[in-house]
Amino acid sequence: MSVTTAGEPRSRRRRRLSSRGDRVTLGLFVGLPTFFHVLLVWLPAIATILLSFTFWTGINFSDITWAGFDNYDNIFFSTPAFYDALRNNAIWLGWFFLIATPLGVLLAYQIDREIRGHRFYQSAYYIPVVLSLAVTGIIWNFMLRPDGFVNGLLGRDIDNAVSFFGNYDINIYVIMVMASWRHIGYIMLLYLAGLKAVDPALREAAAIDGATEWETFRKVVLPTMRPVNIIIVVITMIESLRAFDMVYVIYGTSAGLPILGILVFQNIAGEGASMKGAAYAVILFVLSIGPIIAYLRQQFRQDVS
Amino acid sequence: MGDMDRSVLTSQGFRPNRRQFLIGAAGVLGAGALMSSCGGSSSLSFGARTVDDGPTRQLKGLISAYEAASGNTVVYNATESNAFQNNLSQYLQGTPDDCFQWMAGYRMQFFAEQGLLTDISDVWDEIGDQFNDSYKIASTGLDGKQYFVPQSWYPWGLHFRKSMLAELGIDPDGIYNWDDFMGMLDGMKSKGLIGFAAGDKGGWEAMGTFDILNARINGYQYHVDLMAGREQWTDARTREVFTYWEQLVPYMNDNVLDLEWDGAMQLLLQRKAGAMLMGSWFGGNFLEQSQEDYDDLWIIPFPEINPEHARDTIDAPIDGFCVAANGENSDGGKDLIKFAGSKEGMQAMLDTGEPMTSANKNQDTSSYDAFQKQQLAVMEEAKYITQFLDRDTRPDFAGPVVGPAIQQWFRDPSSVDGILESLQEQWDALPPL
């Protein structure tokens, strides 16, 4: 807005002529949100980054001592759980990108084509989205725990129950199914909204030119959906990295399924917080923001060229 | 009783007046909805660390007895125990309840060191002679002052059903050492039962097994030194603990990592398992099912392994109360905590009929049932009392490091050496205190 070029003296003058009241209003509209944004988002973020280089129990400010890179050294070289967590977050990300998100897109495409019963599918897939991840976790926990519904159906008692959450070889995939249950609906909804905005004339034209369904999707629909695609990629990335609620509902802070979000909480909450938790938070922050910035930059550069 | 009434008046001589003045002022200002307290009474708040039915009934029994005895009004706030524990730092730094439920030992000392608890040495001057020395030690901060009043304790021991042992023809008193214990486990296994029920999904449950095995094999002093970092996790003696533990694995349920403590308890409750190492707090769950089940429940000390140490150590965590430093009415909190620790306060909790073993040594134990008396007997055999692994060592080590390490071990017991090396490495990497 402030990038007014020199060739626009009129608009500049008009702006200068705006009343005092307008300027106050404008100042408030821009200033207040900025103030709160800095206060509530950037200050804590910067404080977290600084604290990750200290030792502190989180209570008396006078107890803060400088730690240099000790917390990071501890995480990278002495904490095996960190690598387990990285692995699990990577699986989460991979699963969402390769399975959950494409499924959501596919569903949206099918529903948009108004296949039979599409309204029913739409609501059925959408329902999980209105539930928070914590509630999703509670529901699935009720289904899959040793004395839960599924083991009941299988006629198994707690002494010989199928171990969905306790078998560390498969539990990440059990959690992935649970998380996808919600994620697919979420992506479907976003994509559906985008698809509704695609001009049907484009498809008709493609059909007349003899394009197959797949070619139409890939060469006509997908490119017109670029803004939505960007949002979906970013959301999928953020959802996979910030994962916490569902795992916390099922495992608490125990190491049943280490992921970065849990490690942050485990080291900060409870008695005697450790700034190792802050260091985990910074690592998580860098991991999330890095690829997203890189991706967005690349996308915007393409837009410009 | 009369003694206490007087102390209520003297210890709160000025505060209630100021409080009433403030309440009056607020009333004038239009906040007329504020209920004014009358007479020499004051109002204070109590924070409970439980939302379960039984303990809640018990605490409410204490609170109403206190209200009746003191004329004060108490606001009762309850929080689920895990959430309470996770938020305690924030809670104590914010606007905490005046008196709240907490645990003795390291966990209390940590917050006392941070200046978040009120020194209640004067309360101990008055009721201290009602407690054994070990309780006083557990209630004392690193600065030598008292910050805690014990409510109850529970021993970690081998729990089982008398009827199931009888079916095997085993006398509970006959299980004294490791071989006796193994014999019992074999007996259970031959009947197709789980010998030793275990659950470690929460990450803390199996710490009790580590504690007791270490104390039995290497003795109290070694265990305490290991917890304090004066001994090494990679020591052959620590390794020995896992050698014994591994002998128990074939008798355990397969889904240790899928069950929390209450899952393991269910195995015992449903007669699917023969024995379980756990704290005795779950008597109420048996009672809930039926009086018969409760009467069937029994506890003995964990068997002897090394005759040198016999059965001289026990994990017996003490629960009780603290007064928050940032509470609005610390004097009221102190008054409540004094009542809670007294024989009368304890009796009020016992009168609710919820099973509890009072920490007060003058308690009339004639009303205790057989299971409670057996808990006392188990306790009396021990010379040394430990709290529990997550109360005896640094909080940034117990939960985030030891818990996952034991879970990892359950997953693959043969990886013990690597796990112990990693444990020691992570201890060494801890920030200085």
Side-chain angles (χ1 to χ4, degrees):
Chain A
M1 214 204 312
S2 59
V3 199
T4 340
T5 53
E8 291 172 323
R10 276 183 77 182
S11 69
R12 181 170 284 191
R13 195 183 311 144
R14 193 188 296 158
R15 192 165 298 152
R16 217 178 269 141
L17 281 176
S18 66
S19 74
R20 199 186 154 77
D22 284 352
R23 266 180 287 154
V24 170
T25 313
L26 198 65
L28 282 178
F29 276 163
V30 177
L32 274 182
T34 311
F35 173 75
F36 282 112
H37 183 73
V38 170
L39 183 76
L40 299 175
V41 178
W42 283 102
L43 284 185
I46 292 167
T48 306
I49 293 173
L50 290 178
L51 283 172
S52 73
F53 295 100
T54 65
F55 294 135
W56 188 36
T57 52
I59 297 176
N60 294 320
F61 285 112
S62 57
D63 292 343
I64 303 181
T65 53
W66 185 248
F69 283 93
D70 279 9
N71 286 324
Y72 292 96
D73 185 78
N74 184 336
I75 289 172
F76 287 120
F77 301 108
S78 308
T79 312
F82 172 63
Y83 294 97
D84 293 339
L86 271 190
R87 183 184 137 263
N88 286 332
N89 275 102
I91 292 178
W92 201 301
L93 192 65
W95 179 287
F96 266 21
F97 263 111
L98 299 175
I99 298 175
T101 300
L103 270 178
V105 171
L106 182 72
L107 276 174
Y109 194 70
Q110 296 297 337
I111 286 167
D112 186 52
R113 288 177 57 218
E114 309 202 333
I115 55 166
R116 213 139 73 106
H118 67 97
R119 278 180 204 287
F120 169 76
Y121 292 123
Q122 187 175 340
S123 350
Y125 284 105
Y126 180 60
I127 283 172
V129 183
V130 288
L131 304 174
S132 78
L133 278 167
V135 175
T136 314
I138 291 169
I139 293 173
W140 280 86
N141 194 16
F142 174 72
M143 303 278 286
L144 298 180
R145 65 187 190 201
D147 55 348
F149 182 70
V150 171
N151 274 309
L153 275 188
L154 295 172
R156 284 169 179 255
D157 239 320
I158 54 170
D159 53 329
N160 63 353
V162 179
S163 195
F164 291 105
F165 298 129
N167 183 340
Y168 290 179
D169 295 324
I170 61 157
N171 63 354
I172 176 72
Y173 300 103
V174 173
I175 296 284
M176 284 335 305
V177 170
M178 292 163 51
S180 306
W181 185 64
R182 182 170 176 279
H183 186 74
I184 290 174
Y186 190 21
I187 296 297
M188 178 201 77
L189 191 77
L190 284 175
Y191 219 78
L192 199 54
L195 282 173
K196 295 278 183 220
V198 174
D199 187 350
L202 285 174
R203 277 193 208 169
E204 275 169 37
I208 290 166
D209 286 348
T212 62
E213 193 77 43
W214 172 241
E215 280 170 335
T216 315
F217 177 72
R218 207 165 57 93
K219 298 196 169 147
V220 178
V221 178
L222 211 55
T224 36
M225 296 275 290
R226 256 180 64 97
V228 179
N229 292 340
I230 293 176
I231 290 174
I232 281 177
V233 167
V234 172
I235 280 179
T236 300
M237 220 179 277
I238 291 177
E239 290 276 320
S240 329
L241 289 167
R242 69 153 199 188
F244 170 80
D245 337 35
M246 201 186 277
V247 177
Y248 181 70
V249 164
I250 289 167
Y251 293 101
T253 54
S254 86
L257 185 74
I259 53 172
L260 290 170
I262 292 286
L263 292 183
V264 173
F265 185 77
Q266 188 187 46
N267 284 278
I268 286 282
E271 311 110 89
S274 147
M275 288 308 122
K276 199 174 162 186
Y280 277 123
V282 172
I283 293 171
L284 185 55
F285 177 72
V286 170
L287 283 180
S288 336
I289 207 99
I292 287 171
I293 289 180
Y295 176 74
L296 289 181
R297 271 176 64 124
Q298 183 230 340
Q299 287 299 317
F300 290 140
R301 197 174 298 145
Q302 277 179 13
D303 282 349
V304 172
S305 59
Chain B
M1 221 28 210
D3 215 28
M4 201 153 54
D5 285 338
R6 204 174 60 228
S7 68
V8 170
L9 290 176
T10 49
S11 73
Q12 299 197 325
F14 178 60
R15 282 284 185 113
N17 292 335
R18 191 177 64 178
R19 230 187 134 69
Q20 280 171 339
F21 169 77
L22 287 174
I23 287 171
V28 170
L29 287 171
L34 266 181
M35 286 213 272
S36 70
S37 46
C38 53
S41 68
S42 73
S43 128
L44 55 122
S45 58
F46 174 79
R49 212 187 106 226
T50 178
V51 288
D52 294 343
D53 289 345
T56 301
R57 261 196 301 281
Q58 199 168 62
L59 290 169
K60 291 218 162 144
L62 168 72
I63 297 299
S64 47
Y66 170 74
E67 286 180 326
S70 67
N72 294 343
T73 43
V74 179
V75 180
Y76 182 93
N77 297 317
T79 313
E80 189 272 323
S81 68
N82 273 328
F84 188 86
Q85 208 165 318
N86 282 332
N87 291 325
L88 191 67
S89 272
Q90 285 76 21
Y91 169 81
L92 290 178
Q93 291 175 81
T95 49
D97 299 307
D98 302 307
C99 178
F100 65 96
Q101 230 189 346
W102 192 233
M103 308 176 227
Y106 198 104
R107 298 192 134 159
M108 170 275 295
Q109 288 168 348
F110 174 79
F111 290 105
E113 275 298 281
Q114 310 291 334
L116 295 173
L117 303 181
T118 301
D119 168 16
I120 54 161
S121 302
D122 49 342
V123 171
W124 272 85
D125 289 342
E126 290 180 62
I127 60 168
D129 57 354
Q130 303 182 31
F131 293 93
N132 286 327
D133 273 353
S134 56
Y135 290 97
K136 185 162 188 180
I137 294 166
S139 307
T140 303
L142 299 173
D143 57 2
K145 294 171 182 161
Q146 282 76 45
Y147 293 92
F148 180 87
V149 165
Q151 170 201 359
S152 61
W153 51 269
Y154 47 87
W156 274 72
L158 214 51
H159 290 81
F160 50 83
R161 281 169 169 276
K162 284 183 279 192
S163 61
M164 289 176 76
L165 284 201
E167 281 167 31
L168 284 176
I170 296 176
D171 172 18
D173 295 328
I175 305 174
Y176 184 80
N177 61 27
W178 187 255
D179 292 338
D180 303 334
F181 180 45
M182 285 312 211
M184 189 213 89
L185 294 181
D186 280 328
M188 290 291 172
K189 200 172 185 183
S190 66
K191 294 188 76 180
L193 295 168
I194 296 160
F196 188 71
D200 194 34
K201 188 179 175 216
W204 57 269
E205 296 92 335
M207 290 174 181
T209 313
F210 178 84
D211 285 349
I212 201 68
L213 284 172
N214 196 21
R216 289 287 181 268
I217 297 166
N218 302 311
Y220 169 78
Q221 198 53 47
Y222 181 82
H223 181 64
V224 170
D225 287 344
L226 180 67
M227 293 296 108
R230 291 186 294 266
E231 295 284 356
Q232 301 276 311
W233 286 86
T234 44
D235 194 304
R237 287 172 288 178
T238 316
R239 175 80 170 67
E240 185 77 356
V241 170
F242 290 89
T243 313
Y244 276 90
W245 206 343
E246 206 173 335
Q247 294 179 42
L248 294 178
V249 171
Y251 301 100
M252 290 181 189
N253 40 307
D254 297 329
N255 52 353
V256 174
L257 294 170
D258 220 6
L259 298 183
E260 293 178 41
W261 75 268
D262 53 345
M265 181 202 70
Q266 282 296 332
L267 291 175
L268 190 63
L269 193 59
Q270 298 174 12
R271 295 175 175 273
K272 292 180 189 303
M276 164 175 77
L277 177 74
M278 189 71 68
S280 289
W281 66 74
F282 60 89
N285 298 61
F286 272 61
L287 194 55
E288 218 165 81
Q289 177 151 309
S290 78
Q291 184 66 41
E292 209 181 341
D293 287 295
Y294 182 72
D295 293 340
D296 201 19
L297 183 62
W298 204 242
I299 176 177
I300 56 167
F302 195 80
E304 170 196 289
I305 296 176
N306 179 348
E308 193 189 325
H309 302 299
R311 304 198 293 193
D312 66 359
T313 307
I314 192 165
D315 257 341
I318 300 169
D319 286 340
F321 310 98
C322 290
V323 177
N326 293 342
E328 283 181 20
N329 185 358
S330 297
D331 288 338
K334 274 191 188 180
D335 191 50
L336 172 56
I337 210 175
K338 189 170 72 191
F339 180 76
S342 71
K343 216 173 112 182
E344 292 78 10
M346 298 281 187
Q347 195 57 50
M349 287 187 266
L350 290 170
D351 287 346
T352 59
E354 295 298 324
M356 176 185 112
T357 36
S358 165
N360 191 306
K361 74 174 175 193
N362 298 340
Q363 205 69 48
D364 174 18
T365 56
S366 63
S367 67
Y368 280 17
D369 54 51
F371 180 55
Q372 286 173 303
K373 285 185 175 147
Q374 177 66 5
Q375 291 178 44
L376 288 176
V378 167
M379 192 74 172
E380 261 150 35
E381 185 176 334
K383 206 157 83 191
Y384 305 107
I385 299 171
T386 47
Q387 289 291 308
F388 192 70
L389 195 144
D390 66 5
R391 304 187 189 194
D392 286 330
T393 189
R394 295 178 56 160
D396 51 357
F397 185 65
V401 180
V402 181
I406 295 177
Q407 287 178 320
Q408 197 61 36
W409 178 78
F410 273 118
R411 195 182 170 192
D412 177 15
S414 67
S415 62
V416 59
D417 290 312
I419 288 170
L420 291 175
E421 266 167 45
S422 167
L423 271 172
Q424 186 59 41
E425 195 186 336
Q426 293 188 71
W427 173 273
D428 293 336
L430 288 175
L433 272 182

